[in-house]
Amino acid sequence: ATMRILLALVPCALGEIALSNEWRRQHCVGDMRTRSLVVATATDSPNLLPILAVINSTLTHAVDGDVSHVVITRHVRRLHAAVAKFTPTAQVTICGGFSDLLTQRPPLDKLQRLADTQRVRRKELLSPFNFAAFYLPYVLREASRVLYLDTDAVVEADVTMLRSLDMGGAPAAAVEDCTQKVHKYVNYELLEEKDHHKLGGEKHWSRFGLSDAAYSNETCVFNRGVVLFDSARWRELRLTETIEDLVDAFVSTRAKLWRGGISQPPFLLTLAGRYLKLGVEWNVRGLGRLELGRAEWMLLAQGAQERYGTPGLDAHTAPAGPFRHTFNPYVSPFAAHAKILHFNGDVKPWMLSKQDAENWRRLGIEVSTTEDTTRHITGVCKLAACPTAVNVTTGRRLRSKCETWTSSEDVDGRVRYDQQRRSLSGERWTAKTLKTFGAYYGHACVARAPLCTCRSDMSDDCVTSCAALWHRYVSEELSQSFAASDVAWANDSIASTPHHLRALSDSRRLTEVQWWL
C-alpha cells in the first residue's frame, strides 16, 4: 500500500500552543492530511540524506499505508525536490518557518541568552530544533499517536503496529537505559530550591509537578531519539508546559540546574516515572559511538544473551589504549533484532561512503582532536593495528577477530597492542604521555568503526559495520546528489516556493516540481 508521508513544521505562538490552518496554508507544500500514526523528525542541517534514509526505511517496511511523516526543516525547496526525485511513491508535505515561531515561546527565547556564556560549550544545543519533539502532540492534533525519531535513525520494522499499542494511560513510551541514571545530570539542590515552595518548613506545593521518580537516585534515563507520544494524554497533563518551566529555571540558574545537554535533562525529569517502557529493539542505540565502558558492555552482552541467546562477542572488541575499562569498537549485540537502529555518536553513517562502510575489516576511522579535546571524524584510514581482545569478565586475552580477518600485509603492527601500553613503534605509554582518547586515536589509525550483529546472510561472522546497514536505504545516486550537499540553496524557505505548487495534486506535484532540480 502506498504510504502517505507528511513533512510539516511545528510552530508555537505565545499563549495557547496551537497551529492554525491558515499558517499551514501559507507555509506548507503538499497535502496536510494526517493519519492515526505520524512519524516525525526534526533537523536544521542542509544535508538531507538522513531525512531521506528515514523516509526510505519507513516506506520499505510499512505494510499498512495509514501513516504520515513529519519533518521539521529550514530547507524546504531542496527537500521537496529531493523527495520528488528519489521517493516518488511517497506523498509528501513540507512546511517551513518553525524556528521563528518556536522562539516566540518565552522560555526558549530566554534560552538564547546563554549563547554568550561559557556555561554552554556546544552552542548548537540551543537550537529550537532540539525542542521540536515536545510540541508535536499540540500541533498534530489529528494524530492520536506521534512517533518521534532523530534523523540519525532508520526503521527496520512496520511501525504502524504502534497504533494499537496499549500505553496504559502513559503520555509517552521510550526505551529505558539503565547504564546511566538521571541523578548524574541534575543539580538536585538547585532543583529542590526551584521546585518546592514551603510554609512552616514543610513542602507546600511543587512548581514543576514532578513525580517522586524524578528525585530518585535509582531512576534510569531513556534516549530521546525514539519516543512514542499519546498526543491527547500528553496535552491533558500539559507536559510541554512543564518542560518549558524547567527550561526557564535552567536559564535563571545560568545553566547550572543540569548538565549533559539542554533539551534532554528536562525531558527526563518531566517523564520520570510516567512513561511506558518499550523493548530495547525499538531503539538500538549507540551505533555511531567509537567506544563503550566495561560496565556498559557487560550489561549489553548479558541482556542480549538472556533475550536472544546472542553468543559472546568479546573477541570483536578490545581495550582502547591504556584505558583498560574502555573498549573499541562499539559493538551492538541487539542490532540483528532491531525495529529501529539509532546512530547516535560521533561516527554518523553518512560520513562514510558505502564502499568504505563495507570495507570495515581493513579500514579504521580517522580522528582529529582540537585544543579543547573535541573530537572530529575526518574520514577513514588504513587500519594500522589489530588490538588483542580480552574476555571482559575475566580479563583473559583472546585472539582478536580483527586479527583473523586481516593478513600481515593489511595491518602494519598487528601484535603491537596498547593493552601492553606500547605504541606501534614499541614506545611505552604512560598516563602522563597519553591523557585522552584523542591522543590515542590520533597516534595511528587504530579506531575501528562501530559493529552491529546481523542476520547470518549478511556477514560470515554475524557482525558487520553499522554504517553498512544505514547505506541500504541510500542509493549511490542519492548519496552523490544535491541532497547530500552541506551548502544550503539560496531562498530555500517556503516564502520562495510558488504558491500554486502547494495546491497541486500528488501526480502533478511530482511532475512539475522538477524545475527545482
Side-chain angles (χ1 to χ4, degrees):
T2 301
M3 176 184 295
R4 187 173 298 275
I5 303 276
L6 170 69
L7 297 152
L9 277 205
V10 183
C12 179
L14 292 170
E16 182 183 1
I17 302 174
L19 177 61
S20 69
N21 291 332
E22 178 63 20
W23 187 93
R24 295 183 183 186
R25 191 184 72 82
Q26 293 296 326
H27 292 79
C28 299
V29 177
D31 185 355
M32 283 301 301
R33 289 177 296 173
T34 58
R35 302 293 182 93
S36 55
L37 176 69
V38 171
V39 179
T41 58
T43 182
D44 57 355
S45 170
N47 187 338
L48 303 179
L49 290 186
I51 295 176
L52 294 168
V54 172
I55 295 172
N56 281 334
S57 63
T58 308
L59 283 169
T60 299
H61 298 284
V63 176
D64 182 350
D66 187 23
V67 64
S68 299
H69 206 116
V70 176
V71 173
I72 299 169
T73 181
R74 289 191 178 102
H75 307 284
V76 178
R77 290 180 60 232
R78 288 180 67 226
L79 181 56
H80 195 177
V83 167
K85 182 174 178 63
F86 297 107
T87 58
T89 61
Q91 298 180 33
V92 178
T93 296
I94 310 169
C95 301
F98 171 81
S99 182
D100 293 340
L101 289 173
L102 191 57
T103 52
Q104 293 177 24
R105 300 300 297 178
L108 299 191
D109 181 50
K110 293 178 182 178
L111 192 62
Q112 305 310 309
R113 301 173 189 173
L114 298 178
D116 297 328
T117 70
Q118 297 300 315
R119 293 291 303 177
V120 180
R121 296 178 61 183
R122 295 176 57 194
K123 307 304 181 186
E124 68 273 14
L125 296 179
L126 299 174
S127 169
F129 284 88
N130 291 319
F131 293 84
F134 312 147
Y135 296 88
L136 293 171
Y138 282 92
V139 299
L140 299 175
R141 292 178 177 270
E142 302 90 343
S144 58
R145 297 282 172 87
V146 177
L147 177 63
Y148 174 81
L149 301 179
D150 279 351
T151 53
D152 56 358
V154 291
V155 174
E156 294 282 285
D158 182 9
V159 297
T160 59
M161 67 180 75
L162 295 174
R163 288 198 310 254
S164 58
L165 175 68
D166 182 5
M167 295 181 62
V175 177
E176 185 178 54
D177 174 12
C178 283
T179 63
Q180 301 178 68
K181 301 297 177 68
V182 173
H183 74 82
K184 173 182 176 181
Y185 300 99
V186 180
N187 183 329
Y188 278 108
E189 183 178 350
L190 272 178
L191 182 64
E192 183 91 14
E193 176 185 326
K194 292 290 182 181
D195 188 17
H196 293 130
H197 293 255
K198 300 181 179 181
L199 286 178
E202 298 294 328
K203 294 178 183 177
H204 184 56
W205 59 279
S206 170
R207 169 185 174 183
F208 305 125
L210 304 177
S211 70
D212 291 340
Y215 284 92
S216 171
N217 289 337
E218 299 304 315
T219 299
C220 300
V221 305
F222 61 87
N223 184 275
R224 201 204 65 184
V226 179
V227 179
L228 177 67
F229 293 96
D230 182 321
S231 300
R233 182 60 173 157
W234 180 275
R235 293 192 301 268
E236 179 186 348
L237 295 176
R238 302 183 65 178
L239 297 182
T240 300
E241 288 91 331
T242 300
I243 293 172
E244 288 184 337
D245 208 9
L246 284 164
V247 170
D248 187 80
F250 176 74
V251 175
S252 70
T253 62
R254 303 293 292 172
K256 297 178 182 178
L257 187 56
W258 58 69
R259 62 186 181 87
I262 303 297
S263 60
Q264 175 86 340
F267 200 34
L268 295 175
L269 288 170
T270 300
L271 282 182
R274 290 172 165 168
Y275 70 95
L276 175 71
K277 297 173 184 177
L278 295 173
V280 66
E281 67 275 8
W282 284 105
N283 187 358
V284 176
R285 57 179 178 75
L287 308 187
R289 292 173 55 184
L290 279 175
E291 65 273 315
L292 76 168
R294 180 176 181 270
E296 182 182 7
W297 173 234
M298 292 181 67
L299 189 63
L300 289 174
Q302 179 183 356
Q305 174 66 35
E306 293 175 352
R307 192 176 181 93
Y308 303 117
T310 304
L313 299 169
D314 291 356
H316 291 287
T317 192
F323 307 99
R324 295 175 181 270
H325 296 290
T326 305
F327 295 79
N328 168 268
Y330 184 96
V331 181
S332 173
F334 294 107
H337 305 275
K339 288 182 168 58
I340 294 175
L341 297 171
H342 189 192
F343 297 85
N344 57 309
D346 294 327
V347 188
K348 299 302 183 187
W350 52 88
M351 293 178 173
L352 311 178
S353 69
K354 180 179 181 181
Q355 292 74 19
D356 289 342
E358 292 174 346
N359 199 20
W360 55 273
R361 289 182 174 87
R362 292 176 172 80
L363 294 179
I365 302 297
E366 193 168 37
V367 183
S368 65
T369 308
T370 58
E371 292 183 0
D372 64 353
T373 71
T374 302
R375 294 190 308 199
H376 297 281
I377 308 302
T378 56
V380 295
C381 49
K382 180 185 176 184
L383 196 63
C386 278
T388 304
V390 297
N391 182 303
V392 176
T393 303
T394 65
R396 181 174 60 86
R397 295 187 183 184
L398 303 172
R399 181 172 176 80
S400 168
K401 287 290 185 180
C402 172
E403 200 171 335
T404 64
W405 289 327
T406 56
S407 65
S408 57
E409 291 78 18
D410 295 321
V411 174
D412 298 329
R414 196 166 73 224
V415 187
R416 299 280 189 182
Y417 176 44
D418 8 299
Q419 189 181 10
Q420 302 171 0
R421 298 192 178 224
R422 293 186 182 278
S423 69
L424 297 179
S425 62
E427 177 186 0
R428 189 171 181 81
W429 277 327
T430 67
K432 182 178 291 187
T433 59
L434 187 63
K435 297 180 180 180
T436 67
F437 285 109
Y440 164 57
Y441 293 139
H443 180 81
C445 185
V446 293
R448 294 167 60 205
L451 298 179
C452 286
T453 53
C454 55
R455 295 165 180 84
S456 58
D457 60 338
M458 293 180 60
S459 169
D460 59 2
D461 196 64
C462 207
V463 296
T464 190
S465 162
C466 297
L469 300 180
W470 182 88
H471 275 281
R472 292 179 300 170
Y473 303 107
V474 178
S475 67
E476 186 68 23
E477 181 187 9
L478 174 57
S479 65
Q480 299 297 321
S481 73
F482 65 91
S485 173
D486 288 325
V487 179
W489 284 3
N491 300 318
D492 204 10
S493 68
I494 193 66
S496 64
T497 306
H499 184 78
H500 71 278
L501 283 179
R502 304 174 198 170
L504 290 176
S505 66
D506 291 331
S507 59
R508 288 181 59 207
R509 174 163 50 83
L510 293 178
T511 302
E512 297 188 30
V513 79
Q514 297 301 317
W515 69 271
W516 279 347
L517 304 179

